[in-house]
């Protein structure tokens, strides 16, 4: 996990709709010395924007990092009505933990304005963007300032699903389903894109033992994280009949820190943006049966133990 001794931390922007799994991803990123979280941009997704921005403020405070700025971004998808997922995440988005009202508030600037300025001011291939929700903020930036792509080192997102169908419709995963137009823009922006779809996140299911280990840290973060995760996994355990649920978004942070835990393939991925039947489907040309150029590093495998050990180590560093 450790970066070479003289390497400076990798600058990242977390674009997110917390969400309990977003919460764990944010906490993990804030705990990693190899990453410099420049800011957290909130987007509407799991719950409306007002709540996702508020939740991001709660999380930076929980991690003891209130200086990390939070920006509120787009309150609806590019070209459609917002679909939310309170049935999964609860009314607040991060139900399951007793957390104090945030003292900090989102910054006054719009997230897309801040993200655009930050990326344009950076050097070539400098900034990594980590979308953990619908990609509306990132796509809005790329539509207005396509030249921003050259300063993006990589976009590492949680989204999509192909081999195992979808979790929101038979073929569409939630983040891509909510804003398929945004996902398609991101996939075609010209910057390297790595996608951690539900095909991989479903290969690393939580266990009660792991959640109990996290609670057993005895820290405020450990106790809050365990409470959120128990609440969060109940929906998937019931839906899939498994003993544990997937922990989607932290895979993005784990991939940044330990890409060796993951395997995938560079191939073409397109998003269906028209058909009412298959809207939001990520069509993955895994076998190269078209001549469409590769635009995505599509991840399908993970070392589950390695992933959960890494996450535990990170959470253990927080207050
Ligand atoms: C994705 O959708 C949200 O519910 C989760 O936070 C995750 O980003 C999984 O499909
Ligand atoms: Ca999310």
């Amino acid at each position: 996990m450790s970066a070479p001794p003289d390497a400076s931390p990798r600058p990242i922007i977390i674009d997110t709709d917390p969400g309990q799994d977003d919460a764990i991803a944010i906490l993990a990123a804030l705990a990693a010395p190899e990453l410099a979280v420049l800011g957290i941009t909130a987007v509407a997704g799991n719950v409306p924007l007002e709540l996702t921005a508020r939740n991001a403020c709660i999380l930076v405070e929980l991690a003891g990092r209130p200086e990390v700025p939070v920006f509120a971004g787009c309150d609806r998808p590019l070209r459609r009505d917002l679909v939310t997922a309170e049935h999964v995440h609860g009314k607040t988005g991060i139900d399951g933990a007793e957390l104090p009202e945030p003292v900090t508030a989102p910054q006054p600037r719009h997230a897309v304005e801040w993200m655009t300025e930050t990326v344009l001011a950076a050097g070539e291939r400098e900034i990594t963007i980590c979308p953990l929700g619908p990609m509306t903020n990132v796509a809005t930036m790329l539509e207005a300032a396509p030249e921003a792509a050259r300063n993006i080192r990589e976009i590492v997102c949680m989204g999509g699903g192909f081999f195992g169908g979808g979790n929101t419709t038979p073929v569409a995963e939630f983040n891509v389903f909510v804003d398929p137009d945004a996902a398609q823009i991101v996939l075609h922006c010209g910057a390297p894109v790595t996608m951690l779809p539900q095909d991989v996140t479903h290969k690393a299911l939580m266990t009660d033992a792991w959640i109990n280990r996290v609670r057993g840290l005895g820290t405020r973060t450990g106790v809050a994280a365990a409470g959120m995760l128990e609440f969060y996994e109940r929906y998937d355990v019931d839906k899939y009949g498994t003993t544990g649920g997937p922990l989607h978004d932290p895979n993005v942070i784990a991939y940044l820190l330990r890409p060796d835990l993951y395997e995938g393939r560079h191939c073409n991925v397109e998003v269906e943006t028209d058909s009412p039947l298959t809207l939001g489907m990520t069509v993955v040309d895994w076998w190269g049966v078209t001549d469409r150029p590769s635009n995505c590093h599509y991840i399908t495998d993970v070392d589950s133990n390695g992933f959960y050990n890494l996450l535990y180590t990170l959470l253990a560093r927080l207050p």
Side-chain angles (χ1 to χ4, degrees), residues 20-39:
Q20 292 89 350
D21 59 328
D22 304 71
I24 304 300
I26 291 168
L27 294 170
L30 292 174
E34 298 89 345
L35 303 175
V37 182
L38 303 181

Side-chain angles (χ1 to χ4, degrees), residues 281-300:
M281 181 177 184
T282 41
V283 179
V284 179
D285 187 7
W286 186 255
W287 298 110
V289 293
T290 71
D291 55 7
R292 296 194 286 260
S294 158
N295 59 350
C296 184
H297 184 202
Y298 191 84
I299 306 292
T300 49

Side-chain angles (χ1 to χ4, degrees), residues 9-20:
R10 178 171 180 173
I12 70 168
I13 294 172
I14 302 179
D15 186 61
T16 176
D17 63 338
Q20 292 89 350

Side-chain angles (χ1 to χ4, degrees), residues 12-18 22 26 37-45 49 51-57 60 68-75 106-107 109-119 127-139 141:
I12 70 168
I13 294 172
I14 302 179
D15 186 61
T16 176
D17 63 338
D22 304 71
I26 291 168
V37 182
L38 303 181
I40 299 181
T41 51
V43 67
L49 178 69
L51 286 172
T52 58
R54 175 183 177 275
N55 293 345
C57 292
V60 293
V68 175
V70 170
F71 300 86
C74 300
D75 64 0
Q107 303 288 313
R109 298 178 67 193
H110 193 284
V112 174
E113 187 192 322
W114 173 80
M115 190 191 293
T116 308
E117 187 183 289
T118 304
V119 174
I127 308 284
T128 297
I129 302 186
C130 304
L132 309 178
M135 294 187 244
T136 322
N137 285 340
V138 184
M141 169 179 76

Side-chain angles (χ1 to χ4, degrees), residues 8-217:
S8 44
R10 178 171 180 173
I12 70 168
I13 294 172
I14 302 179
D15 186 61
T16 176
D17 63 338
Q20 292 89 350
D21 59 328
D22 304 71
I24 304 300
I26 291 168
L27 294 170
L30 292 174
E34 298 89 345
L35 303 175
V37 182
L38 303 181
I40 299 181
T41 51
V43 67
N46 287 322
V47 287
L49 178 69
E50 204 186 317
L51 286 172
T52 58
R54 175 183 177 275
N55 293 345
C57 292
I58 291 176
L59 292 162
V60 293
E61 290 179 20
L62 177 64
R65 298 288 306 281
E67 78 285 2
V68 175
V70 170
F71 300 86
C74 300
D75 64 0
R76 74 197 63 187
L78 291 184
R79 322 203 205 292
R80 307 164 197 271
D81 292 337
L82 176 64
V83 175
T84 54
E86 285 87 354
H87 57 293
V88 181
H89 298 271
K91 225 163 54 167
T92 65
I94 51 172
D95 279 21
E98 297 282 326
L99 291 165
E101 280 298 307
V103 181
T104 51
Q107 303 288 313
R109 298 178 67 193
H110 193 284
V112 174
E113 187 192 322
W114 173 80
M115 190 191 293
T116 308
E117 187 183 289
T118 304
V119 174
L120 289 179
E124 209 166 305
R125 299 266 174 263
E126 189 177 323
I127 308 284
T128 297
I129 302 186
C130 304
L132 309 178
M135 294 187 244
T136 322
N137 285 340
V138 184
T140 303
M141 169 179 76
L142 291 166
E143 274 199 316
E147 70 277 20
R150 71 162 183 266
N151 291 351
I152 298 176
R153 171 168 161 186
E154 193 176 3
I155 296 174
V156 183
C157 65
M158 190 281 136
F162 184 68
F163 297 101
N167 62 5
T168 301
T169 77
V171 295
E173 178 279 332
F174 180 78
N175 290 339
V176 177
F177 177 76
V178 173
D179 200 340
D181 310 284
Q184 181 71 344
I185 288 168
V186 166
L187 280 162
H188 287 273
C189 75
V193 176
T194 292
M195 197 170 235
L196 290 122
Q198 59 171 85
D199 293 319
V200 67
T201 62
H202 280 251
K203 289 183 179 163
L205 302 183
M206 287 182 271
T207 61
D208 289 347
W210 185 79
I211 296 178
N212 287 332
R213 256 181 98 202
V214 172
R215 179 179 289 107
L217 287 168

